[in-house]
């Protein structure tokens, strides 16, 4: 896991409250470790597993006109991040997303736009339990080959995007063994009971109790039977699936300690915090591509020392050298003395326009133009126009193109300050991913 510092775009208080916590970067960035973990999951899970995501809420507590599951982060709806957390695992089959009838077409558009290949969309009910039951019914027809009945079904919240594979694996295996399983977290506040007049009745011993979280896993036959047997009161007022399995099927769930990342996007401030986590995760690495000029290579090495990132590699500007880095990072820094040298890297990055690499998360390209001599005003305007044109083209493919100019100097102290400013601007652009700044040529 990685412990994140406070991102640039969020408040101190909210970050401290929730997010000085470990987060598995595998849920956002594909890497060798993730593929290895996925292979382990395939070996352990040799039975069909599916997911039900209830997403029919109106988002009243969010205070926004748009339901929270459809609010966007980096031009992508929150629910799409949650779906991807499950779709990336090969041992998980169908993901049934349950939405309100009026949001059916919106959800279908999200599925198509972000290439979600495992999703089936069904209509929800008037309450959470009714919506979950509708999602479970999607598997009950054995004639539907697109939605085969699973051995284990995972129930999760559409607005909990940070779910790690390790926990999903534990939940799934425990559900198969015990019949039901669920994630829990320690209570952070004491729970009290009040009288009808608004006075303290009694308090609970906090050490004895836990908060029930998502995900939860069940043998499909058990949870489906529990919903078939439950009362109208349960459908109308109940919220706990584990309780239904216990009350109506006698299945006592195995409880598993979950990580701090299980928090739920509930209020408007949570959206900013979720965006901060995603941006911080995306900015953990970068690839510096140095032009052939000696000055460009020198600047690349100096910049690498000043970048405060987990992993930074410097590679030469050659297509055959760049290929292996395409899936390892979403941040590219190209250093060259002339605008024409940028076109090779642009061709490489434009490959992302029709792949999931840029479809799901923005790719950032920072072009650093090393000025060896003072340019004329006309030459400067020509470079700026060409750069804005390129940026406006590639942003349509979710590629964010930024530009920074730095003047070469032989005065050591002045050069060091310029490189420090270059590093600060570069890190800020990569972390913030602000589309409004694309196409501009900044100066270090």
């Amino acid at each position: 896991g990685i412990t994140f510092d406070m991102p640039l775009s969020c408040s101190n208080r909210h970050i401290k409250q929730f997010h000085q916590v470990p987060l598995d970067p595998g849920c956002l960035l594909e890497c060798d470790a993730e593929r290895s973990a996925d292979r382990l999951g395939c070996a352990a899970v040799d039975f069909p597993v599916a997911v039900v995501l209830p997403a029919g809420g109106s988002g009243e507590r969010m205070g926004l006109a748009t339901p929270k599951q459809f609010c966007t982060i980096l031009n992508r709806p929150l629910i799409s991040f949650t779906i991807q957390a499950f779709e990336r695992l090969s041992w998980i089959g169908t993901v049934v997303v349950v939405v309100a009838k009026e949001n059916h077409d919106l959800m279908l558009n999200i599925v198509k736009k972000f290439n979600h290949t495992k999703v089936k969309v069904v209509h929800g009910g008037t309450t959470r339990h009714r919506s979950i039951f509708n999602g479970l019914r999607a598997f009950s027809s054995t004639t539907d080959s697109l939605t085969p009945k699973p051995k284990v079904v995972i129930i999760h919240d559409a607005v909990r995007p940070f779910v790690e594979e390790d926990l999903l694996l534990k939940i799934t295996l425990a559900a198969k063994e015990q019949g039901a399983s669920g994630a829990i977290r320690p209570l952070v506040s004491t729970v009290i009971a009040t009288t009808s007049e608004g006075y303290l009745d009694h308090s609970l011993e906090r050490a004895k109790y836990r908060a029930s979280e998502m995900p939860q896993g069940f043998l499909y036959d058990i949870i489906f039977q529990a919903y078939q047997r439950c009362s109208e009161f349960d459908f109308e007022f109940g919220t706990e699936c584990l309780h239904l399995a216990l009350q109506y099927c006698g299945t006592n769930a195995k409880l598993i300690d979950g990580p701090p990342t299980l928090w739920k996007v509930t209020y408007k401030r949570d959206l900013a915090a979720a965006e901060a986590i995603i941006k911080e995760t995306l900015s953990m690495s970068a690839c510096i591509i140095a032009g052939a000029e000696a000055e460009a290579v020198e600047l690349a090495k100096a910049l690498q020392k000043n970048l405060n990132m987990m992993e930074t590699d410097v590679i030469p500007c050659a297509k055959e050298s760049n290929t292996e880095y395409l899936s390892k990072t979403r941040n590219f820094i190209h250093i060259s003395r002339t605008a024409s040298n940028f076109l090779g890297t642009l061709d490489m990055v434009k490959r992302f326009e029709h792949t999931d690499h840029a479809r799901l998360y923005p790719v950032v390209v920072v072009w650093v133009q090393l000025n060896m001599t003072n340019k004329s005003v006309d030459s400067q305007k020509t470079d700026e126009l060409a750069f804005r044109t390129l940026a406006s083209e590639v942003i349509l493919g979710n590629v964010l193109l930024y530009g920074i100019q730095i003047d070469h100097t032989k005065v050591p102290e002045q050069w060091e300050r310029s490189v420090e400013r270059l590093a600060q601007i570069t890190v800020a652009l990569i972390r913030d991913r602000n589309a409004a700044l694309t196409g501009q040529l900044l100066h270090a």
Side-chain angles (χ1 to χ4, degrees), residues 251-270:
T251 301
N252 200 353
K254 171 67 175 176
L255 303 179
I256 297 171
D257 289 326
T261 50
L262 290 181
W263 59 278
K264 180 180 180 182
V265 175
T266 304
Y267 301 102
K268 191 183 299 184
R269 65 177 182 265
D270 297 333

Side-chain angles (χ1 to χ4, degrees), residues 117-240:
T117 58
K118 297 182 179 181
V119 170
K120 177 173 182 176
V121 181
V122 302
H123 292 166
T126 56
T127 65
R128 175 178 172 81
H129 272 330
R130 295 186 196 279
S131 292
I132 292 174
F133 193 24
N134 284 358
L136 293 172
R137 282 172 169 160
F139 301 106
S140 62
S141 174
T142 56
T143 60
D144 185 0
S145 60
L146 297 178
T147 319
K149 176 181 168 183
K151 179 74 173 178
V152 168
V153 60
I154 298 171
I155 298 175
H156 192 59
D157 286 326
V159 289
R160 294 181 192 257
F162 306 115
V163 56
E164 302 173 11
E165 178 176 10
D166 179 62
L167 177 64
L168 290 173
L169 196 56
K170 291 178 181 177
I171 291 288
T172 299
L173 296 177
K176 182 177 183 291
E177 182 70 23
Q178 186 65 27
S181 63
I184 57 172
R185 288 285 301 155
L187 291 175
V188 294
S189 300
T190 299
V191 179
I192 62 173
T194 62
T195 66
S196 58
E197 293 82 16
Y199 295 97
L200 175 66
D201 188 323
H202 64 277
S203 63
L204 301 180
E205 188 180 342
R206 189 170 62 183
K208 284 176 141 184
Y209 295 87
R210 295 291 182 270
S212 178
E213 306 283 359
M214 291 291 176
Q216 295 176 351
F218 303 88
L219 288 175
Y220 175 82
D221 290 339
I222 285 178
I223 192 61
F224 188 73
Q225 187 178 77
Y227 272 101
Q228 285 179 313
R229 293 176 176 177
C230 73
S231 66
E232 282 298 313
F233 184 87
D234 293 317
F235 272 125
E236 198 65 31
F237 302 104
T239 58
E240 180 54 72

